[in-house]
C-alpha cells in the first residue's frame, strides 16, 4: 500500500499542486492543526468523494492563539496523524514549519470585518485574523479546488467562506456536520485535555444546546428566555464556567432577540482550565417551505 507523502515547504507544495492540476486531478484540502480525531477522519472521507487527491494540512498556527492560550501545549502527534490520513485515503500531508509559514520579516495579516464581532471572535480577540491569514496561505500553497471545514467551528467556517468570496478565490468551501461521541460531546483535539471528571461533565455542553433547541421548537420566540434556560442548566453543574451562550443569526453571527425560523445556538464553556465550544442550528420550518417564501 502506498504511504502518505509529507511536504514541508511552500515551494515543494506548489510544485506538487501544479503537477496534480496539470494531470487533471481535482485537489481537496482538509486544513487541520493535527492531533486528528474522528471528526477529521470524516472530513477526509467526505472530501475524498468529490476530489481525486486529498491534501491534509497539519500546522498548529501560532497566529490564531492569544498570548494566554494553549499554543505551546496544543496536542501534537504527527506519526499518529499520518497513520490516520493513510487509513482514511489521504495521499498528501502538508506540514510546513512555523518559520516556513511566518519567516522573519513576515508582515501580512487578513482582517475580516463584522463576522468575528461576536462569539469566539469576541472572546478570543485576533483569533479569526490568524485563522483567515493561515487559511488564505494554505489555499495559496495547496491550490485546492475544494476545501472542507467542520460545522462545530461554525463561525470559522463563515469567516473562511467570506474570505474565499471577498478575495475571489477559486475554491469551493464545503461545510461538514459535527461528529459527536456517543454521549453527544463534539469531537475535538482539545477533548484530550479533560480530566475524567471534566470529561463526564463535558456532555453538559451538548445538553445545554439541546435544552435551547427544545425551547425554540416548543415555540419560544424570545432569545433571552432561551439563553436564560441554557445558563440555568450550566449553573446546576460545579467546576464549569460559561464563556458565552448565544443565539445568533446563522449567517452573520449577530445576536438576535426575536427568534426567526433559523437560529444558531452557540456555547463556549470552560471545564477547569479548558474551553470547549459547540453549536447547533435550529430550524422551525422545513428548508423547502422557507425557500418557497
Ligand atoms: O480548525 C482548525 O483546526 C484551524 O482553525 C484551521 C482551520 C486548521 C486553521 O489553523
Amino acid at each position: 500500500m502506498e504511504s502518505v507523502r509529507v511536504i514541508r515547504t511552500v515551494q515543494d507544495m506548489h510544485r506538487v499542486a501544479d503537477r496534480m492540476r496539470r494531470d487533471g486531478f481535482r485537489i481537496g484540502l482538509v486544513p487541520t492543526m493535527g492531533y486528528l480525531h474522528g471528526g477529521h477522519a470524516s472530513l477526509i472521507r467526505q472530501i475524498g468523494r468529490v476530489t481525486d487527491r486529498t491534501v491534509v494540512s497539519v500546522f498548529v498556527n501560532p497566529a490564531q492563539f492569544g498570548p494566554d492560550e494553549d499554543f505551546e501545549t496544543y496536542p501534537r502527534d504527527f506519526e499518529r496523524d499520518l497513520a490516520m490520513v493513510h487509513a482514511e485515503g489521504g495521499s498528501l500531508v502538508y506540514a510546513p514549519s512555523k518559520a516556513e509559514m511566518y519567516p522573519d520579516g513576515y508582515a501580512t495579516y487578513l482582517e475580516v470585518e463584522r463576522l468575528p464581532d461576536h462569539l469566539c471572535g469576541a472572546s478570543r480577540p485576533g483569533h479569526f485574523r490568524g485563522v483567515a491569514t493561515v487559511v488564505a496561505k494554505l489555499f495559496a500553497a495547496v491550490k485546492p479546488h475544494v476545501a472542507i471545514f467542520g460545522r462545530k467551528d461554525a463561525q470559522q467556517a463563515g469567516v473562511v467562506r467570506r474570505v474565499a468570496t471577498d478575495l475571489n478565490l477559486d475554491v469551493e468551501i464545503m461545510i461538514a456536520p459535527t461528529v459527536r461521541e456517543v454521549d453527544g460531546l463534539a469531537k475535538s483535539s482539545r477533548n484530550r485535555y479533560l480530566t475524567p471528571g471534566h470529561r463526564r461533565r463535558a456532555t453538559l455542553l451538548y445538553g445545554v444546546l439541546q435544552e435551547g433547541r427544545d425551547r425554540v421548537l416548543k415555540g419560544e420566540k424570545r432569545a433571552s428566555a432561551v439563553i436564560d434556560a441554557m445558563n440555568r442548566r450550566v449553573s446546576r453543574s460545579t467546576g464549569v464556567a460559561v464563556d458565552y451562550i448565544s443565539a445568533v443569526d446563522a449567517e452573520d453571527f449577530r445576536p438576535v432577540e426575536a427568534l426567526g425560523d433559523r437560529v444558531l445556538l452557540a456555547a463556549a464553556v470552560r471545564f477547569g482550565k479548558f474551553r470547549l465550544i459547540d453549536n447547533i442550528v435550529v430550524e422551525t420550518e422545513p428548508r423547502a417551505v422557507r425557500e418557497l417564501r
Side-chain angles (χ1 to χ4, degrees):
M1 205 185 294
E2 262 180 59
S3 62
V4 172
R5 176 164 178 197
V6 178
I7 299 173
R8 297 277 183 188
T9 67
V10 176
Q11 203 184 13
D12 283 351
M13 191 64 246
H14 278 167
R15 220 169 14 81
V16 172
D18 286 344
R19 195 176 331 117
M20 288 193 285
R21 282 188 165 247
R22 234 183 1 254
D23 290 346
F25 294 131
R26 270 172 74 72
I27 305 173
L29 171 64
V30 185
T32 83
M33 296 207 298
Y35 211 75
L36 305 183
H37 51 68
H40 295 116
S42 157
L43 298 180
I44 298 170
R45 284 196 298 274
Q46 288 179 65
I47 207 159
R49 286 186 209 120
V50 295
T51 56
D52 306 303
R53 292 286 183 273
T54 299
V55 180
V56 178
S57 65
V58 174
F59 178 64
V60 185
N61 173 34
Q64 69 188 74
F65 289 80
D68 299 325
E69 293 184 350
D70 55 346
F71 172 70
E72 294 298 341
T73 56
Y74 194 84
R76 292 159 169 92
D77 189 340
F78 193 60
E79 290 310 314
R80 190 171 150 275
D81 291 344
L82 290 184
M84 183 176 290
V85 172
H86 185 251
E88 299 304 338
S91 39
L92 289 161
V93 166
Y94 177 46
S97 66
K98 193 167 135 190
E100 182 72 12
M101 289 297 266
Y102 301 108
D104 284 348
Y106 188 89
T108 304
Y109 291 89
L110 259 182
E111 200 75 62
V112 176
E113 296 185 350
R114 295 185 296 283
L115 289 190
D117 288 351
H118 308 285
L119 308 180
C120 291
S123 52
R124 301 182 68 188
H127 171 66
F128 287 118
R129 175 182 189 257
V131 170
T133 302
V134 81
V135 168
K137 285 171 68 63
L138 293 170
F139 287 176
V142 178
K143 309 181 190 196
H145 296 83
V146 187
I148 190 162
F149 296 82
R151 195 177 291 285
K152 179 178 80 67
D153 300 300
Q155 193 177 18
Q156 166 170 282
V159 165
V160 169
R161 272 225 158 113
R162 193 73 258 162
V163 168
T165 303
D166 290 354
L167 298 184
N168 311 121
L169 303 181
D170 191 12
V171 55
E172 182 193 333
I173 307 296
M174 273 172 78
I175 316 275
T178 302
V179 179
R180 299 182 180 282
E181 305 288 355
V182 280
D183 62 6
L185 179 66
K187 292 199 187 237
S188 161
S189 306
R190 288 188 168 99
N191 290 353
R192 71 146 308 185
Y193 289 144
L194 300 170
T195 62
H198 283 135
R199 171 63 188 83
R200 275 193 302 279
R201 262 173 262 169
T203 57
L204 170 76
L205 187 52
Y206 189 47
V208 163
L209 294 170
Q210 286 175 309
E211 168 93 42
R213 178 174 59 197
D214 291 349
R215 303 245 164 185
V216 177
L217 294 179
K218 277 185 191 140
E220 180 57 68
K221 292 286 178 210
R222 293 162 304 147
S224 51
V226 173
I227 292 168
D228 284 350
M230 293 165 79
N231 272 303
R232 276 199 301 279
R233 173 87 179 251
V234 179
S235 65
R236 292 202 292 269
S237 252
T238 53
V240 174
V242 171
D243 182 357
Y244 64 72
I245 289 182
S246 299
V248 299
D249 182 284
E251 300 332 306
D252 65 16
F253 310 109
R254 266 190 288 192
V256 289
E257 175 42 36
L259 297 176
D261 44 33
R262 188 160 194 267
V263 63
L264 182 89
L265 300 177
V269 174
R270 285 181 195 282
F271 297 87
K273 281 196 296 194
F274 302 109
R275 177 181 173 279
L276 300 181
I277 62 170
D278 198 357
N279 68 79
I280 48 175
V281 173
V282 187
E283 297 181 339
T284 49
E285 220 175 41
R287 178 182 289 242
V289 176
R290 266 185 294 121
E291 281 171 0
L292 280 178
R293 282 199 281 115

